Amino acid sequence: MDPALGPPEAMAEKRDELTPMMRQYHDLCARYDDAIVLFQVGDFYETFCGAAERSARLLEVALTSREDSTGEYPMAGIPIDNAESYIEELLEAGYRVAVADQVEEPGESSGVVERAVTRVITPGTLTEDELLAGDDNNFVAAVARGEGAGSDGDEIALALLDVSTGDFLATSSSSREAIADEVSRFDPAEAVVDPDAPADLLPENCMVTPYDETAFDRDRAGAKLSAYFRNPDALLASDAEIRACGALLSYAEYVRGGAHEGERGETADEAETEDDALDDEDHHLEYLTHLTRYDPREYLLLDAVALRSLELFEPRTVHGRDDATLVGVLDETASALGGRKLRDWLRRPLLEPDRIEARLDAVEELTGAVRTRERLHDLLRDVYDLERLIGRISRERANARDLRSLRDTLAVVPEVREELADADCDRLRRLHDALDPLADVRELIDDAIVADPPIEITEGGVVAEGYDADLDDLRGTARDGKQWIDDLEERERERTGIDSLKVGYNSVHGYYIEVTNPNLESVPENYQRRQTLKNSERFVTPELKEREDEIVGAEERADEREYDLFCEVRREVAAEVERVQGLAEALAALDALVSLATAAAQYDYCRPEIEERGSGADGGGRVLEIEGGRHPVVERTQESFVPNDARFTDDRRLAVITGPNMSGKSTYMRQVAQIVLLAQVGSFVPASAARLTPVDRIFTRVGASDDIAGGRSTFMVEMDELATILREADENSLVLLDEVGRGTSTADGMAIAQAITEHLHDRVGATTLFATHHHPLTELADDLAAAFTLHFEVEQVDGEVVFHHEIAPGAATGSYGVEVATAAGVPDSVVDRARDLVAAADADTEPGDEAIDTATASSDAPAAETAAATADGGDVPTDVAAELRALDLAHLTPVEALTELDRLKRLLEE
Ligand code: ADP
Ligand code: MG
């Protein structure tokens, strides 16, 4: 057990003797024993004992101590004013944080100040803007296992919730790989897991939170869901989904902690007695209004490897530029709403041509309408993060400024609508209609809340003049009283004849009348002495006191009235949560479309033609045709980029691609996949023309990818990943294989590559791009009906290699490995020697010899094979050569190899 968590042992031993405050701390720690409790003491959040030692080290704050009759306890505190940055550090260190605020004013009650946990902060359930990335979702997940729909047998369900925006999704599958893929798609920061479900399908960066197992009970979960959605059984597909969603809702409510603003909340005392307090109505999350159930098969499937190697969200190289990603290139959104929407679209490319075309129509129209597009972009810049705003309003955590932000956003809506008034395409017209300016809400806020309110909502100055008669009365009373006091000086000077008489105010004594010593004789009878200073005396009059009480009373009551009114307005706005969310959704989609159009125009993309399979011009088969395709990310990061074509059909579906290192094979394959992906997102694509039938899945495998952290050999990883492809790919898949079979000996690698190629060709039928250094594969391609070869030619100019990055039909003629070595600055003597060796090997290799084809094997071919066969460049006796060829290197241990080499060497010398 982590000593930073749970009730401190030192306190537990003598709980009953502790001071009331320390007992409160102890009990909250016991109640929230999976979190570090931040305990408000005045302007600080304090931690004690183990938690104090931990946070002092993590947060680099001073470790002090607090002493009472029961002992001395280590203590460390952080200032409440900028608690957020400290909390972030605690989260990063893998802790959850329970914030225990003082929920009454000190001195309000006779005993110790009441404290309650007002929120539990965990990585997956953040709602504070300071801790969240604006343009991306932050999900918490729940995983449950259960009986599947129908008689599918066992099934795993995944529920995902963004507590800050209210986005709520559920899916399930009988394949754990499929759920693992969905997890990597949404990349949740945290998860709660049904004890029966496999936790190991969650990646390492996802915090698994132990949580009350009974929340996963079918009945309890169902009841929880019913509190939110009318008919959860109709909404969801299976018991497993209901259990995942219900448990996730319970968890989200638990995390919400006590109620808002620290007004109510679960106090230390209640915690002892009311264990069921967590199921309280108080915790209901009103802004959770939608639950979207989807089938993973509704979207283009991208597993973790494909997400990475297509550079969707993360740069591929560790040292890559941060913006060297697909989303980095495409994201021209103006609002956080749009940024999240665009990421969601990229995460989930579409399959149905109709839906894709609808987006493409909108992108096309916006691409053409330059002025409208730019105007919309400008307007959308003034759109606040409505989803999180309404979430805060609904959780009663919004202040008056948040309401004004909502109002300012609503003020933009009519103008946005206006820009779309003449829209042609269906999608934009629908968006136009969905843009509800919520005039009533805007009017309410305009009437009720002042234009530039303070951050605090309890100290007045929030509610506008004229909104509430009672408030105006109270303010009038206060104002009149102040006016009377302002006039008092003048009146009293006249009445007493003391010209130097002054009326003043201080916080201890309130209002007073000050008379200097020489004038004390003229002081009237009704003056009462309050304070004696060196040169003067201060007085009050009963009338002045009366006025003062009136002012203070009126001001206090006005502040209270304002707070009540504010809460009422906030509740009224919160009641419109669904309309605000609908508006947010429309603005988000519009922003994402404008962004795609902006990128299309800026980078000269073209509209892809999407064809339904089964209706295409090519007899209903697959089509993937790209003219002048470019790599969207690489073309942004380097000066000139050479466009290349691609053409795949049912009869031409497997391409074996060869060419020397650095000639452009990997870039080419990725750009083909990225163009397909972008097209299915509904985006224009980096090409001069493109035509395609949508694919269901994109698989990519890059040879020799490292999994050192996972502790498996690279070859093992490669084979594992390949196994998945061979099992799951079908004729609707797009498969990229980049140099697979590298992690083992040449002969083994070649054999595996060949077997895979045949399998993909004969059985799977996927559209396949296979870049390989195994040249014999190109010969294999000649024998397979639907396979063909492509290669990158390079040119030698004055002994140096020039890369044209241009793809051409046929196989590469040589590896140019030696020339690349020259270009890379390998010393001349070494390069010369290598040339000799290659030449000798060429002369010695019989045509059609497959086992050791040194002429075409790339620079990766073990040099020993060449060297041994051509010792000293002299003629090799044929028997030695034959023996060499027959050697099965894949099955030799290093010692056996050395022994064999030694034997052959002797044979030569004889
Ligand atoms: P390979 O996989 O054949 O070793 P890569 O695809 O990794 O080669 O390409 C190597 C480098 O060549 C890339 O990093 C890129 O800078 C450049 N390159 C690749 N394709 C092109 C192209 N079509 N136009 C311009 N430069 C390219
Ligand atoms: Mg490569």
Side-chain angles (χ1 to χ4, degrees):
M1 179 84 190
D2 187 329
L5 301 177
E9 259 174 52
M11 292 184 182
E13 289 160 8
K14 41 201 164 192
R15 178 189 176 276
D16 296 333
E17 295 141 49
L18 291 172
T19 61
M21 189 181 96
M22 294 314 262
R23 195 177 315 142
Q24 248 182 17
Y25 176 75
H26 169 274
D27 292 352
L28 285 171
C29 285
R31 183 75 192 84
Y32 291 87
D33 63 357
D34 60 353
I36 288 189
V37 174
L38 295 184
F39 190 74
Q40 184 186 1
V41 181
D43 295 335
F44 281 82
Y45 284 132
E46 302 288 357
T47 53
F48 298 96
C49 300
E53 280 158 10
R54 205 69 235 276
S55 17
R57 215 164 340 132
L58 276 174
L59 309 177
E60 296 176 15
V61 296
L63 185 65
T64 57
S65 66
R66 185 180 182 100
E67 212 180 331
D68 64 25
S69 57
T70 62
E72 190 175 334
Y73 304 103
M75 171 170 98
I78 58 173
I80 290 181
D81 272 351
N82 56 357
E84 250 70 18
S85 61
Y86 292 105
I87 291 174
E88 190 170 12
E89 300 243 359
L90 290 175
L91 293 176
E92 260 164 34
Y95 286 105
R96 287 167 278 274
V97 175
V99 181
D101 284 305
Q102 294 175 346
V103 291
E104 60 180 7
E105 290 294 318
E108 208 171 279
S109 70
S110 49
V112 64
V113 185
E114 205 54 60
R115 290 180 178 80
V117 168
T118 53
R119 56 199 168 134
V120 179
I121 303 176
T122 76
T125 62
L126 301 176
T127 54
E128 11 311 89
D129 275 349
E130 297 88 341
L131 302 179
L132 283 165
D135 54 12
D136 211 350
N137 278 108
N138 186 51
F139 286 109
V140 58
V143 183
R145 162 180 251 149
E147 204 131 299
S151 54
D152 277 1
D154 234 19
E155 173 179 273
I156 302 170
L158 173 72
L160 293 147
L161 174 64
D162 184 331
V163 179
S164 69
T165 62
D167 288 319
F168 192 15
L169 298 151
T171 191
S172 62
S173 170
S174 53
S175 141
R176 40 174 300 151
E177 278 95 3
I179 294 301
D181 289 348
E182 292 311 302
V183 170
S184 33
R185 222 201 271 265
F186 292 95
D187 197 21
E190 183 185 0
V192 290
V193 182
D194 163 17
D196 293 337
D200 58 346
L201 57 76
L202 298 164
E204 244 171 65
N205 63 351
C206 177
M207 178 196 250
V208 176
T209 298
Y211 182 61
D212 183 7
E213 291 176 9
T214 64
F216 284 93
D217 284 349
R218 170 66 179 78
D219 291 342
R220 205 179 137 188
K224 181 54 73 192
L225 267 168
S226 306
Y228 285 83
F229 307 103
R230 233 164 282 136
N231 191 355
D233 293 291
L235 206 57
L236 295 170
S238 65
D239 276 4
E241 288 183 9
I242 289 176
R243 294 176 57 229
C245 290
L248 193 53
L249 283 175
S250 300
Y251 182 63
E253 290 182 0
Y254 158 74
V255 165
R256 183 187 177 182
H260 48 88
E261 304 296 345
E263 288 164 0
R264 290 166 293 161
E266 194 183 347
T267 63
D269 283 349
E270 288 166 43
E272 275 175 73
T273 50
E274 283 178 52
D275 239 357
D276 283 345
L278 295 180
D279 273 335
D280 220 324
E281 269 292 289
D282 281 357
H283 302 266
H284 194 85
L285 308 163
E286 278 83 4
Y287 61 102
L288 282 187
T289 59
H290 299 284
L291 168 54
T292 310
R293 198 268 155 189
Y294 76 97
D295 188 314
R297 287 166 296 195
E298 284 169 43
Y299 300 99
L300 172 61
L301 287 180
L302 294 163
D303 59 11
V305 187
L307 282 171
R308 257 201 317 276
S309 73
L310 297 182
E311 298 151 276
L312 246 74
F313 302 110
E314 304 273 332
R316 210 158 52 80
T317 52
V318 188
H319 305 289
R321 287 166 39 174
D322 259 6
D323 59 344
T325 59
L326 215 45
V327 68
V329 171
L330 290 176
D331 189 359
E332 295 288 338
T333 55
S335 68
L337 290 173
R340 285 198 299 271
K341 180 57 80 185
L342 182 67
R343 277 163 183 76
D344 188 47
W345 286 359
L346 284 170
R347 243 193 306 267
R348 294 193 285 169
L350 304 169
L351 300 181
E352 291 158 41
D354 288 352
R355 292 179 69 194
I356 300 172
E357 294 285 6
R359 281 189 199 163
L360 285 172
D361 286 344
V363 173
E364 177 166 1
E365 191 171 333
L366 291 167
T367 307
V370 183
R371 206 204 59 86
T372 304
R373 168 159 48 85
E374 286 173 358
R375 178 90 185 106
L376 282 172
H377 183 86
D378 282 349
L379 289 169
L380 289 164
R381 249 204 281 253
D382 292 332
V383 165
Y384 282 85
D385 194 339
L386 284 189
E387 288 175 325
R388 287 183 180 156
L389 213 48
I390 194 66
R392 271 207 301 281
I393 291 171
S394 168
R395 287 191 304 274
E396 308 195 353
R397 285 202 173 271
N399 61 24
R401 290 194 181 171
D402 291 326
L403 290 188
R404 286 304 300 195
S405 300
L406 172 60
R407 181 253 166 230
D408 292 344
T409 301
L410 297 181
V412 178
V413 176
E415 289 177 77
V416 176
R417 261 181 86 100
E418 184 57 35
E419 289 297 326
L420 292 178
D422 302 326
D424 279 331
C425 73
D426 198 48
R427 182 74 205 247
L428 291 179
R429 275 210 310 275
R430 276 167 200 264
L431 285 177
H432 170 270
D433 297 344
L435 288 170
D436 174 359
L438 285 108
D440 48 335
V441 174
R442 178 177 162 198
E443 205 172 309
L444 170 66
I445 300 174
D446 258 337
D447 289 349
I449 311 292
V450 299
D452 191 11
I455 293 176
E456 289 298 330
I457 50 176
T458 48
E459 291 166 15
V462 165
V463 174
E465 204 70 42
Y467 178 67
D468 177 70
D470 288 350
L471 176 63
D472 289 349
D473 274 357
L474 290 167
R475 282 180 174 162
T477 307
R479 236 190 335 261
D480 291 350
K482 280 188 179 154
Q483 190 58 52
W484 183 88
I485 288 171
D486 280 352
D487 297 342
L488 182 66
E489 197 169 272
E490 199 55 45
R491 273 201 311 275
E492 290 300 298
R493 278 185 188 172
E494 246 167 61
R495 182 159 83 97
T496 60
I498 307 171
D499 283 348
S500 62
L501 178 146
K502 270 194 217 135
V503 172
Y505 178 85
N506 84 27
S507 54
V508 180
H509 299 280
Y511 290 99
Y512 55 80
I513 299 167
E514 189 173 294
V515 178
T516 50
N517 291 344
N519 296 305
L520 287 177
E521 281 126 65
S522 323
V523 162
E525 266 185 16
N526 68 335
Y527 277 29
Q528 301 165 358
R529 180 164 300 143
R530 266 296 145 88
Q531 222 185 338
T532 304
L533 305 179
K534 195 166 161 227
N535 300 317
S536 59
E537 300 269 342
R538 287 176 176 176
F539 302 90
V540 294
T541 66
E543 213 185 356
L544 177 58
K545 269 294 135 201
E546 200 178 301
R547 287 290 181 160
E548 182 177 338
D549 290 347
E550 221 173 86
I551 294 169
V552 172
E555 280 180 338
E556 267 174 15
R557 271 183 297 143
D559 287 356
E560 279 167 27
R561 177 84 192 143
E562 277 202 54
Y563 179 70
D564 289 345
L565 288 168
F566 172 79
C567 290
E568 205 179 290
V569 171
R570 190 169 59 183
R571 269 193 298 277
E572 266 179 67
V573 175
E576 302 302 331
V577 56
E578 290 194 48
R579 285 167 73 205
V580 176
Q581 284 172 341
L583 172 64
E585 172 68 26
L587 289 169
L590 181 62
D591 197 4
L593 290 169
V594 169
S595 172
L596 289 178
T598 306
Q602 197 164 318
Y603 306 131
D604 197 20
Y605 289 1
C606 77
R607 175 172 181 158
E609 282 174 56
I610 308 295
E611 269 172 29
E612 190 113 34
R613 259 192 112 146
S615 71
D618 294 51
R622 92 195 64 191
V623 191
L624 171 48
E625 261 180 25
I626 299 169
E627 262 172 52
R630 286 123 48 202
H631 189 296
V633 180
V634 175
E635 77 162 342
R636 297 265 62 79
T637 52
Q638 70 182 49
E639 263 170 44
S640 66
F641 192 88
V642 182
N644 278 306
D645 299 347
R647 199 169 82 79
F648 292 82
T649 59
D650 281 348
D651 306 333
R652 245 177 84 84
R653 57 174 189 259
L654 190 153
V656 174
I657 305 168
T658 46
N661 279 336
M662 297 302 287
S663 60
K665 300 184 295 297
S666 303
T667 309
Y668 176 75
M669 295 204 300
R670 289 200 174 91
Q671 90 191 21
V672 168
Q674 283 167 332
I675 286 171
V676 170
L677 184 142
L678 285 178
Q680 293 186 223
V681 163
S683 166
F684 279 23
V685 298
S688 51
R691 192 164 74 93
L692 58 99
T693 45
V695 301
D696 291 353
R697 295 189 69 155
I698 297 179
F699 293 94
T700 71
R701 287 303 176 272
V702 181
S705 69
D706 267 303
D707 186 19
I708 294 163
R712 298 189 295 169
S713 87
T714 54
F715 185 62
M716 187 63 207
V717 175
E718 202 178 308
M719 290 305 115
D720 194 45
E721 293 177 352
L722 268 174
T724 314
I725 297 184
L726 299 180
R727 218 172 34 239
E728 297 187 12
D730 64 20
E731 52 172 17
N732 293 319
S733 309
L734 173 62
V735 177
L736 308 187
L737 299 176
D738 196 350
E739 314 259 14
V740 296
R742 259 199 161 172
T744 182
S745 72
T746 310
D748 262 10
M750 173 56 212
I752 289 168
Q754 176 166 349
I756 289 169
T757 311
E758 287 170 355
H759 184 87
L760 283 170
H761 179 272
D762 301 343
R763 310 250 191 103
V764 175
T767 302
T768 307
L769 287 83
F770 193 161
T772 182
H773 59 284
H774 292 301
H775 278 252
L777 271 192
T778 59
E779 286 157 34
L780 175 67
D782 293 339
D783 297 338
L784 300 174
F788 60 103
T789 50
L790 295 173
H791 76 286
F792 279 93
E793 203 57 81
V794 299
E795 206 181 0
Q796 288 188 70
V797 179
D798 303 333
E800 296 215 352
V801 184
V802 179
F803 295 107
H804 295 299
H805 301 304
E806 222 167 309
I807 198 140
T813 52
S815 77
Y816 295 91
V818 176
E819 275 65 32
V820 175
T822 325
V826 173
D828 286 349
S829 59
V830 176
V831 172
D832 287 346
R833 171 76 178 133
R835 276 212 187 90
D836 290 347
L837 292 172
V838 171
D842 275 353
D844 192 58
T845 309
E846 287 148 55
D849 187 346
E850 284 199 359
I852 309 171
D853 193 350
T854 41
T856 49
S858 78
S859 52
D860 310 286
E865 292 172 331
T866 325
T870 62
D872 282 330
D875 285 341
V876 182
T878 38
D879 51 340
V880 175
E883 286 212 40
L884 259 174
R885 284 203 192 92
L887 266 189
D888 182 3
L889 292 179
H891 295 104
L892 289 186
T893 66
V895 176
E896 284 167 347
L898 276 178
T899 318
E900 193 60 19
L901 197 61
D902 184 55
R903 191 181 63 79
L904 289 171
K905 205 170 164 224
R906 271 175 225 276
L907 210 71
L908 263 184
E909 278 159 2
E910 268 166 21

